[in-house]
Amino acid sequence: MRPGVRSGDHAVAQQGLNAADPNTLIRDDRRPVLQAAVSFRVLDDFSSVVLDSSGGEAYALNPVGTAIVERCDGTLTVDEMVTELVDLFEVDDRTLIVSDVHTFLREMTVRGLVAW
Amino acid sequence: MIDPPPTETIVRRILLAGLSAEITAPAVPFGDLVDFPFRCYAVPESSVPLAFRAEICAPLRAAGKKRADYNGLWGIKVDGQRFQDVDGAEEAVRWGEVLLLNRLIHLLPDVAHIHGGVVANSHQSLVLIGDSGAGKSTLSVALSTLGYDLFTDDVALIARDSLRPLPVPRPVKLDEIARALLAPMGLQIEAKDARGESVIRSVIPGLPPVDELGPPVGTMIFLAGHRAVRPALRRLTAAEAAMRLVRQSASERMSASGMSPTAQTLVERAICYELVSGPLDETARLVASLGD
């Protein structure tokens, strides 16, 4: 399963977009952290709801997205995060997880949910 | 000849979760009009204190001021205070019933209010959630013809502690198309039982006792905005269900701290699906099978 994020509304709040190019922010040695205005709640089936109270947007994450956001606490580098997820999901091909994590973090960054 | 001014009043009460409210209106022309929406509400014991009283006030024609004008601007008062004016007697009754229900709901902090239908078999309740026009009422009534109790087609009230639904026996909104779709399922609704798109509740099967809660919610079904040749169900994650639930709930909105405990409990305890509707009979049978 690829990490998924679904917006609570059909239109994504444009005011929440990060001005900086996320491709320059996402590096394996950096430690992403959820923005202060973002709350995150994990549900019984390991899906989760992310709420950005600054933009009024809510998002539903699937279990893979949940596992990534759980690790956006400012203590893990992207590389360490990937290592944990490879173990967690018992994936043989590390490059697959690297690709998924980068794609997901880019989307979270663009939506203003993650800081670097 | 001038009609006599309306002096007699008609009084109807509703009872909801131990609370009652009363509406009064001129007996002429309201006798039949008021009976229509209130036919299935409980008549509470006199010992149940009134939470509030609503009153429908007939306008008087300017000339002579002796005869009520059926089509004029009718006033609605709550506990003696003017609440709003509406155009025409039928609108006044419709607003009066909505007002009673909405005000009582606001006095029930232990009840979650969701825009949806609720049907139940002997061991679980199914909540049907969707935008207006998605087919909640039609599907709810179709399920009532398949042996389900119909707790509500539109105003879902669910006790927060037990997740058990309250019966809300108001008239059911079914337009001509919906009635035509339901006819092959054995539900023939005569013209005298409908007023506009509202069908009197007593002619629809599956009316549960008005003072009993249903079994806990076990399944939630979110109606998709589109239809298909064949009905289809897709299992939703709890988070996907939560996003849809909070959009259709008056009481369980997201706050700065996230979703409410009740919304979280509902999406975690219930099995949640997205439903793409197909032909009504097939769709109803598919949904009915979820309660097995």
Side-chain angles (χ1 to χ4, degrees):
Chain A
M1 185 193 298
R2 301 179 70 83
V5 52
R6 285 171 180 265
S7 170
D9 294 304
H10 297 297
V12 173
Q14 293 299 310
Q15 67 272 23
L17 302 187
N18 269 7
D21 180 0
N23 291 315
T24 65
L25 297 172
I26 300 172
R27 292 205 317 256
D28 286 343
D29 61 343
R30 299 190 77 166
R31 293 176 167 82
V33 62
L34 281 181
Q35 295 278 16
V38 174
S39 67
F40 170 61
R41 192 173 301 180
V42 182
L43 303 175
D44 275 357
D45 61 356
F46 302 109
S47 64
S48 60
V49 172
V50 170
L51 176 68
D52 176 9
S53 58
S54 64
E57 283 283 328
Y59 305 88
L61 303 187
N62 66 16
V64 182
T66 300
I68 297 173
V69 172
E70 280 182 318
R71 287 160 175 77
C72 291
D73 59 2
T75 66
L76 291 178
T77 65
V78 173
D79 190 52
E80 291 165 339
M81 186 184 293
V82 168
T83 299
E84 285 198 6
L85 295 172
V86 166
D87 287 343
L88 179 66
F89 293 107
E90 299 177 347
V91 177
D92 295 330
D93 185 359
R94 181 183 174 91
T95 59
L96 191 66
I97 293 287
V98 169
S99 170
D100 283 353
V101 167
H102 278 245
T103 301
F104 183 77
L105 288 176
R106 187 177 298 111
E107 190 168 354
M108 295 286 282
T109 304
V110 166
R111 293 171 190 264
L113 303 172
V114 168
W116 295 85
Chain B
M1 179 178 173
I2 297 175
D3 293 342
T7 53
E8 293 182 22
T9 57
I10 185 167
V11 182
R12 290 292 179 270
R13 283 189 178 193
I14 69 174
L15 177 65
L16 198 66
L19 288 175
S20 75
E22 181 179 275
I23 189 164
T24 63
V28 179
F30 277 109
D32 182 46
L33 275 177
V34 172
D35 275 337
F36 183 85
F38 292 97
R39 188 78 55 89
C40 284
Y41 281 103
V43 178
E45 299 290 333
S46 58
S47 60
V48 178
L50 279 181
F52 63 92
R53 176 180 283 110
E55 181 184 356
I56 294 177
C57 311
L60 296 178
R61 286 184 172 170
K65 291 192 175 183
K66 287 188 176 179
R67 189 169 60 169
D69 186 349
Y70 188 85
N71 294 317
L73 206 57
W74 292 70
I76 300 177
K77 292 181 179 178
V78 178
D79 288 337
Q81 301 294 315
R82 191 162 214 94
F83 178 72
Q84 71 179 92
D85 293 334
V86 294
D87 193 13
E90 292 203 26
E91 276 294 287
V93 171
R94 192 178 71 81
W95 272 99
E97 193 259 348
V98 170
L99 172 73
L100 252 58
L101 192 58
N102 284 349
R103 288 234 162 181
L104 281 181
I105 290 171
H106 282 115
L107 295 173
L108 297 170
D110 297 329
V111 171
H113 176 198
I114 299 164
H115 181 211
V118 178
V119 298
N121 59 19
S122 59
H123 59 278
Q124 70 156 304
S125 294
L126 281 61
V127 182
L128 309 171
I129 298 174
D131 292 332
S132 294
K136 296 183 298 296
S137 295
T138 310
L139 182 55
S140 299
V141 174
L143 287 163
S144 78
T145 69
L146 298 177
Y148 277 81
D149 284 339
L150 174 53
F151 279 73
T152 176
D153 71 304
D154 186 52
V155 179
L157 301 179
I158 297 167
R160 294 184 190 281
D161 56 352
S162 63
L163 300 189
R164 297 174 65 187
L166 282 66
V168 184
R170 60 188 317 212
V172 178
K173 189 177 177 186
L174 295 172
D175 60 18
E176 278 190 36
I177 295 172
R179 282 182 255 170
L181 290 170
L182 287 162
M185 299 188 73
L187 186 60
Q188 303 283 348
I189 297 166
E190 296 183 28
K192 67 180 177 58
D193 297 321
R195 193 181 298 278
E197 294 187 347
S198 293
V199 174
I200 200 158
R201 184 65 181 84
S202 55
V203 301
I204 294 172
L207 179 65
V210 290
D211 54 353
E212 288 183 17
L213 300 181
V217 174
T219 302
M220 289 204 294
I221 297 149
F222 296 86
L223 279 69
H226 59 284
R227 296 166 192 272
V229 176
R230 292 283 172 266
L233 289 165
R234 177 175 74 88
R235 182 81 182 264
L236 296 175
T237 66
E240 288 176 311
M243 303 293 287
R244 289 163 168 78
L245 174 65
V246 298
R247 279 206 299 270
Q248 298 291 348
S249 175
S251 62
E252 310 305 308
R253 300 279 191 209
M254 290 271 190
S255 67
S257 58
M259 80 180 88
S260 74
T262 302
Q264 181 168 346
T265 304
L266 273 169
V267 298
E268 287 184 331
R269 286 200 199 161
I271 301 172
C272 303
Y273 299 93
E274 179 183 65
L275 169 69
V276 176
S277 297
L280 181 60
D281 56 342
E282 285 184 41
T283 305
R285 282 198 297 272
L286 178 63
V287 172
S289 69
L290 296 175
D292 293 343

